[in-house]
Amino acid sequence: MAVFRVVLAALTLVLGASAASAHPHVWVTATSELLYAADGTVTGVRHAWTFDDMFATYALQGLETKQKGVYTREELAPLAQTNAESLKEYAYFTFIKADGRKQKLVDPVDYYLEYKDTKLTLHFTLPLKAPVKSSQLQVEVYDPSYFIDFQMAEKDPVKLVSAPAGCKLGLVRPSDGGTVAQTMNEQTFLSGGANANFGMNFANKISVECP
Amino acid sequence: MNSLRPSSRPLLTCAAILVALLAADAASHALLAKPPFGAPAEPQVGGIVGWILAKQSEFYRQMSGAIRSAKEDGSAVWWLLAISFAYGIFHAAGPGHGKAVIASYLVANQETAKRGIVLSFASGLMQALVAVAIVGVGAVLLNATAASMCSAEKVVEIASYGLIALLGARLVWVKGAAFLRTWQPPAPALALAGAPAGAVQTGHDHGHAHDHQHRAPQHDHHGHDHHGHDRHGHDHHHGHGHAHTHAAAAHGHAAHDHVHHDHVHGDDCGCGHSHGPAPSELAGPGGWQRGFQAIFAAGIRPCSGAILVLVFALAQGMFWAGVAATIVMGMGTAITVATIAVLAVAAKDIARRLSAGRDGGGALIMRGLEFGAAGLVLLFGVGLLFGYMAAERTTCF
């Protein structure tokens, strides 16, 4: 029916446009270290996230400092705390699977902000709720709503810290192509559409295979 | 009750439209969520979304550089404005920015494309000004931290969603009544008798004020007819079938409803349309006032990007450049919103024309469409308010 087709087309346009979904306002350049205990279990992830200059300026707005333009770690401590505390709401933007099983993370520790060469970097360590031994570890870093665009640093994006010998490290960047696509289709659909985990398309996938 | 048959078909039609509408929504989401954008930098064929995202990221990331250069070289401001404008156009394709709300509002009301454009621009300008106000008062005057500006943003955001929900609720009330009036035989209309009166109380709705005026004189007429139990009299007042409905209900002459039924119903199917406010009436001063409620609701929430740009510009000692960029950005946003608004209005016009030739169901389809669109505005508001629907996140992080 012609009427339907017109109505459908119009609504697809209106709603489709809103499904064009989130878009980043914050850019983060990340480096990550995977921490291992002596017994070969993974205990957590240590991230260092450097913000783009516009967001950094916004975050630093109104902060009192002794010297203009210089922010010490102590002066940044309250902001670091706010950041660390609000990370929980976003699942720390870190999604870990050990041998296919989702791993739980607890609140960040050892967090601080560093301001160096006009760049603001948030350092923090995310401990796993329970250390896990895994032959296939997968760590994804992304914002499901894609408000923040995460990019692993060009140089030394991921490191293994005291990992057992023979572990192989891999990294797939979002710009490497749609490897995520096949697995996400169904999931995207079930979770109610684009907005829910749209950012998955822009996930950085770190993988560690240990013998 | 042979009146059931002709009335149930258009009802099904309207239900089908609403179902189709939801299906279209789901389909568009599913479609757009599919792979094509592995690389944001170089989207593949068909990756319109990826392309939009890439473009706006590109423009946005150039803005900080442009503000810096403008500090040294005044002429770079033009470059800044150009990028901001382009960014606004692409940026508005994302959620928020009142696109869906304004488009649905326009479909729910019989708005013209011209008014759609004006409303879009007014809403865009308002968004820009709210952003300037938050940063201007917060950062410039009070030297507030990002955290406190963010709280201000959150309050404004909740207010905006609440207003959208209210606007939607009012539209649903008004349009639901209009829809049922067109469709319903009089007896069930009893339950709705209060609806138009309520709408008049809430005021602002020109269309209803109009209905109301009509009803008053007819009331007398009707009472007359009723007391005379004169069937012929009903035929005589054919054109006012709609008013009859209410009068009958109010009088509680249930015994006569049966006689009414056929007449009134046939009436509504034939010329129910004429009972709705004519587009020319809506363009009056009352109509504009109503339109401003829509832009206020949709436009009060500032865009996060604008806030970031303003704070950055302020830190560079170039606040005025940030203000100019924000306003230009708002105008770019308005172009996208206006385009969608015009398309929505045009689509409704085509639907109206196509359904006009259909006996009986035409007006009903249109009322159903308006009702559906009104429902969408309410859904948007409630969904946003309670976080069921993802909007653009505020910069609180």
Side-chain angles (χ1 to χ4, degrees), chain B residues 88 172 194 203 223 232 237 242 252 285 293 340 348 392:
Chain B
V172 164
H232 185 70
H237 293 286
H242 158 63
Q293 294 171 359
I340 288 163
K348 195 192 170 191
E392 187 178 70

Side-chain angles (χ1 to χ4, degrees), chain A residues 137-156:
Chain A
L137 186 75
Q138 192 190 54
V139 180
E140 291 183 317
V141 178
Y142 67 92
D143 176 2
S145 68
Y146 201 42
F147 187 78
I148 303 173
D149 178 275
F150 285 95
Q151 275 167 28
M152 300 305 292
E154 285 300 316
K155 210 182 140 216
D156 298 331

Side-chain angles (χ1 to χ4, degrees), chain B residues 91-296:
Chain B
H91 181 67
H97 312 108
K99 261 184 330 291
V101 172
I102 289 187
S104 306
Y105 170 82
L106 292 174
V107 171
N109 282 300
Q110 296 200 333
E111 303 287 9
T112 59
K114 198 179 102 193
R115 296 193 60 207
I117 293 169
V118 175
L119 290 183
S120 302
F121 275 86
S123 165
L125 185 65
M126 173 140 183
Q127 265 183 338
L129 293 179
V130 171
V132 171
I134 287 183
V135 178
V137 173
V140 181
L141 295 182
L142 305 174
N143 194 27
T145 58
S148 39
M149 267 190 293
C150 162
S151 334
E153 232 185 298
K154 272 193 172 151
V155 169
V156 170
E157 180 179 40
I158 289 169
S160 169
Y161 298 160
L163 285 173
I164 292 171
L166 274 179
L167 179 75
R170 200 177 60 79
L171 281 174
V172 164
W173 184 252
V174 169
K175 295 297 161 185
F179 175 56
L180 283 169
R181 245 183 284 138
T182 313
W183 164 64
Q184 204 91 322
L190 177 64
L192 263 182
V200 170
Q201 274 164 14
T202 43
H204 312 307
D205 195 294
H206 196 243
H208 273 279
H210 161 78
D211 283 354
H212 191 68
Q213 282 157 10
H214 271 250
R215 211 177 303 130
Q218 279 164 9
H219 219 279
D220 294 344
H221 269 290
H222 186 76
H224 234 62
D225 292 344
H226 241 310
H227 290 299
H229 304 299
D230 190 352
R231 228 185 123 158
H232 185 70
H234 282 290
D235 285 331
H236 195 67
H237 293 286
H238 229 0
H240 312 299
H242 158 63
H244 275 251
T245 306
H246 286 284
H251 282 267
H253 283 284
H256 301 290
D257 281 355
H258 269 298
V259 187
H260 262 283
H261 253 320
D262 295 324
H263 279 277
V264 173
H265 187 74
D267 216 38
D268 275 359
C269 277
C271 53
H273 190 77
S274 66
H275 286 289
S280 56
E281 292 173 78
L282 277 163
W288 281 112
Q289 195 197 342
R290 232 192 15 226
F292 281 112
Q293 294 171 359
I295 56 166
F296 193 73

